[in-house]
Amino acid sequence: MKTPSIDDLPSLRDRVSEAEWRTRVDLAAAYRLVALFGWDDLVFTHITARVPGADDQFLINPYGLLFEEITASSLVRVDLSGRKLDDTPSEINPAGFTIHSAIHAARHDAHCVLHTHSLNGIAVSAQKQGILPLSQQSIFVLGSLGYHDYEGVALREEEKPRLVRDLGDNTYLMLRNHGLLTVGPTVADAFLAMYLFETVCTIQVRALAGGGELVTVDPQIIRTSAQQARQVTRGQGAGALAWPGLLRRLDRRNPGYAR
């Protein structure tokens, strides 16, 4: 498989709707931010976003480009079966779309699905107790968390119903021995959820490594986490509040995604 140079790919800015272009820019930014935060796994794992106005069309990364190289125009439009819908030299990893297609098909509110293989995320996914209530951050994850047991590399169609069942209506899914997954109504929301998920896992790894007795959060506090989140973000959601600043950080450190 030959990966085309991003410099050789034509701009799609004037070939798609304004809504699709905005989604492409946000999705390309999310890929580069994942790399910037150190959660990427070379060219593996994926972030997908639903094409606005087309429930059965999605954007995914071209296979072979590093996350830090993704641009809005390089993203590939596919259907729920992972078939390319545009005439593009870029290929995708059909196996990588298995998890995403299952969730997009079942959760119409999940306009973005983000999956990582980060070191801290996989480390905690291998711990039998899963996420522990050790931090303020953890209460928000624990309030909307599912677990999915490892079944090997996600290649088989028959795994899809179990993925959907285990995610349920949650925002966070821990893939045992595999990694982390978040969903959101926007790219920004899915990214901010993953930021929180990754932070919780990092805190837990460090807390357990300390070797001392741990203090846990009262379950009653966890049960009110959604209400607390709405109060803290004034009903706007963390994505809407933090995303503009994250884009400014990206513009300073790795510009060029919006092309």
Side-chain angles (χ1 to χ4, degrees), residues 209-247:
E213 185 176 359
L214 300 176
V215 177
T216 58
V217 176
D218 187 318
Q220 177 57 33
I221 296 175
I222 297 171
R223 285 192 286 270
T224 63
S225 60
Q227 177 186 349
Q228 294 179 65
R230 287 192 294 271
Q231 288 180 292
V232 168
T233 63
R234 297 182 179 179
Q236 298 180 58
L241 290 172
W243 191 245
L246 285 167
L247 294 183

Side-chain angles (χ1 to χ4, degrees), residues 86-144:
D86 296 315
D87 181 16
T88 171
S90 300
E91 297 296 333
I92 70 158
N93 179 5
F97 195 54
T98 299
I99 293 173
H100 295 251
S101 62
I103 296 171
H104 280 301
R107 289 277 303 270
H108 294 289
D109 62 317
H111 291 285
C112 182
V113 179
L114 200 167
H115 172 42
T116 63
H117 292 165
S118 67
L119 297 181
N120 290 312
I122 296 173
V124 175
S125 78
Q127 295 173 359
K128 188 172 183 178
Q129 69 271 42
I131 297 293
L132 296 172
L134 299 179
S135 63
Q136 175 169 276
Q137 290 88 340
S138 71
I139 70 172
F140 304 110
V141 173
L142 287 166
S144 188

Side-chain angles (χ1 to χ4, degrees), residues 2-36:
K2 182 179 179 181
T3 304
S5 167
I6 55 175
D7 294 327
D8 296 333
L9 295 173
S11 173
L12 299 180
R13 178 66 183 86
D14 298 323
R15 304 184 189 184
V16 299
S17 68
E18 183 62 32
E20 179 177 336
W21 182 251
R22 185 66 258 169
T23 298
R24 283 177 171 271
V25 170
D26 282 345
L27 186 57
Y31 273 103
R32 294 202 182 197
L33 284 165
V34 164
L36 186 63

